[in-house]
């Protein structure tokens, strides 16, 4: 397996898949500190439209501009709620929402559009080695803990192009992530409500940042999303009722999860 240093020396294109979340920020800081130059980097943000936390795209763009790195917005053919509606209309007998085992939200709205734009950019700029960088961390889930730091991707590798997935901060904990952001003079997305308390970073808002209502989110994160985006919560709830299927992997109705999560929110938090 090639090392990152060898890939830099081979003039690889490092694609920063930047969600606007804390892990993407920390990952990009780490890549720059590891010697990846602006000429070998491109930041790509998968725009999730109305279901995305406001300001996430701005953080990704600002990180790119501050580093002098090209910034690309990748968009999907359809949004999440349209995907759910179309799936229900075509196959009402199967669950309409993505799940932990069939994550169309990730493949169709994030991974696919980002890969498409990365291929276009690599071809237009003469790169034949692509390193797709993602801010996954072992601490987040057992599945992510099992992933290799660097792995070839056959589906995006051709006779003229090599492609690797790279997880630069796989072994970092959340304290390292927030500290790296602070050390670089940046601030994480306001939805985290992060504060330094007795030498440790704590979140008064979200623990993770993805869609406002993620199928894998904690009840607290979902309740916070409903607090900040009540109109979007109402849209999700209406679609759950229209399809007869629940969006969360717990299979609990969103209304119930919101009520459970409210008990975990810090009172009078103003994020």
């Amino acid at each position: 397996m090639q090392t990152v240093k060898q890939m830099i020396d081979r003039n690889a294109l490092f694609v920063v898949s930047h969600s606007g979340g804390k892990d993407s920020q920390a990952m990009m800081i780490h890549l720059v500190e590891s010697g990846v130059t602006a000429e070998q980097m491109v930041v790509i943000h998968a725009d999730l439209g109305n279901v995305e936390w406001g300001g996430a795209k701005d953080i990704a763009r600002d990180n790119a501009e501050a580093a002098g790195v090209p910034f690309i917005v990748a968009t999907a053919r359809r949004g999440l709620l349209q995907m759910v509606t179309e799936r229900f209309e075509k196959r009402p007998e199967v669950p309409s929402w993505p799940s932990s085992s069939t994550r169309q939200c990730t493949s169709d709205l994030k991974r696919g559009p980002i890969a498409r734009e990365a291929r276009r950019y690599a071809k237009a700029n003469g790169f034949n080695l692509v390193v797709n960088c993602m801010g996954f961390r072992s601490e987040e889930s057992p599945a992510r803990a099992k992933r290799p730091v660097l792995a070839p991707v056959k589906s995006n590798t051709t006779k003229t192009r090599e492609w690797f997935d790279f997880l630069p901060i796989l072994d970092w904990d959340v304290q390292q992530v927030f500290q790296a952001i602070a050390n670089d003079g940046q601030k994480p997305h306001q939805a985290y409500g992060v504060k330094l308390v007795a030498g440790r970073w704590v979140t008064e808002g979200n623990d993770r940042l993805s869609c406002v209502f993620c199928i894998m989110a904690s009840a607290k994160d979902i309740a916070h999303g409903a607090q900040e985006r009540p109109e979007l919560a109402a849209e999700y709830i209406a679609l759950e009722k229209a399809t007869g299927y629940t969006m969360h992997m717990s299979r609990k109705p969103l209304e119930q999860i919101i009520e459970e999560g409210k008990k975990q929110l810090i009172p009078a938090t103003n994020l």
Side-chain angles (χ1 to χ4, degrees):
M1 180 67 70
Q2 299 179 68
T3 66
V4 174
K5 175 63 167 58
Q6 288 172 327
M7 291 184 172
I8 293 174
D9 292 343
R10 289 184 56 197
N11 193 37
L13 172 66
F14 287 78
V15 177
V16 180
S17 297
H18 203 315
S19 68
K22 65 184 187 305
D23 297 326
S24 295
Q25 281 182 275
M27 174 183 67
M28 185 167 177
I29 292 167
H30 181 56
L31 287 171
V32 172
E33 291 177 347
S34 297
V36 182
T37 65
E39 292 74 24
Q40 286 182 254
M41 195 182 301
V42 62
V43 173
I44 305 180
H45 174 77
D47 190 344
L48 304 178
N50 190 44
V51 304
E52 180 175 273
W53 276 95
K57 179 167 61 177
D58 297 332
I59 289 176
R61 182 199 61 229
D62 292 347
N63 283 178
E65 290 181 354
V69 174
F71 177 64
I72 297 172
V73 175
T75 56
R77 179 183 67 82
R78 56 183 179 171
L80 174 64
L81 300 185
Q82 182 184 355
M83 176 193 296
V84 173
T85 300
E86 290 180 359
R87 185 175 178 83
F88 176 69
E89 291 173 348
K90 293 177 181 178
R91 299 194 62 189
E93 75 281 5
V94 300
S96 308
W97 298 84
S99 68
S100 57
S101 59
T102 55
R103 296 179 63 180
Q104 305 101 315
C105 48
T106 299
S107 60
D108 294 7
L109 305 183
K110 299 178 183 179
R111 189 169 60 241
I114 287 175
R116 179 194 68 217
E117 295 302 327
R119 289 192 298 267
R120 288 178 180 175
Y121 187 89
K123 183 177 180 180
N125 292 276
F127 290 99
N128 55 24
L129 174 57
V130 176
V131 182
N132 181 45
C133 307
M134 297 173 287
F136 294 173
R137 295 185 299 109
S138 297
E139 190 178 57
E140 295 176 300
S141 71
R144 290 190 172 183
K146 294 176 182 177
R147 295 191 60 154
V149 172
L150 189 67
V153 181
K154 292 182 179 180
S155 59
N156 277 316
T157 296
T158 66
K159 292 181 179 179
T160 59
R161 181 187 64 228
E162 289 181 83
W163 189 292
F164 289 84
D165 277 351
F166 180 36
L167 312 180
I169 61 169
L170 185 64
D171 62 347
W172 286 29
D173 63 28
V174 70
Q175 294 299 313
Q176 289 174 281
V177 168
F178 283 127
Q179 192 61 55
I181 294 170
N183 290 346
D184 201 59
Q186 297 183 34
K187 292 183 178 180
H189 193 285
Q190 64 178 5
Y192 292 113
V194 66
K195 292 183 178 180
L196 189 61
V197 179
R200 289 186 62 81
W201 297 100
V202 297
T203 55
E204 293 187 349
N206 275 40
D207 292 321
R208 298 175 66 178
L209 190 82
S210 184
C211 293
V212 177
F213 303 108
C214 176
I215 63 170
M216 304 179 75
S218 67
K220 180 171 77 79
D221 285 6
I222 285 178
H224 183 217
Q227 175 181 287
E228 297 296 310
R229 297 285 305 279
E231 80 294 341
L232 184 60
E235 194 171 351
Y236 271 71
I237 291 167
L239 190 53
E240 278 193 339
K241 292 177 179 178
T243 62
Y245 296 104
T246 53
M247 60 82 64
H248 196 260
M249 66 177 182
S250 69
R251 300 282 71 96
K252 296 178 181 179
L254 190 60
E255 287 178 299
Q256 180 181 339
I257 297 172
I258 291 170
E259 289 305 312
E260 292 174 355
K262 284 180 180 178
K263 301 173 185 177
Q264 302 173 36
L265 290 175
I266 296 175
T269 297
N270 183 20
L271 301 176

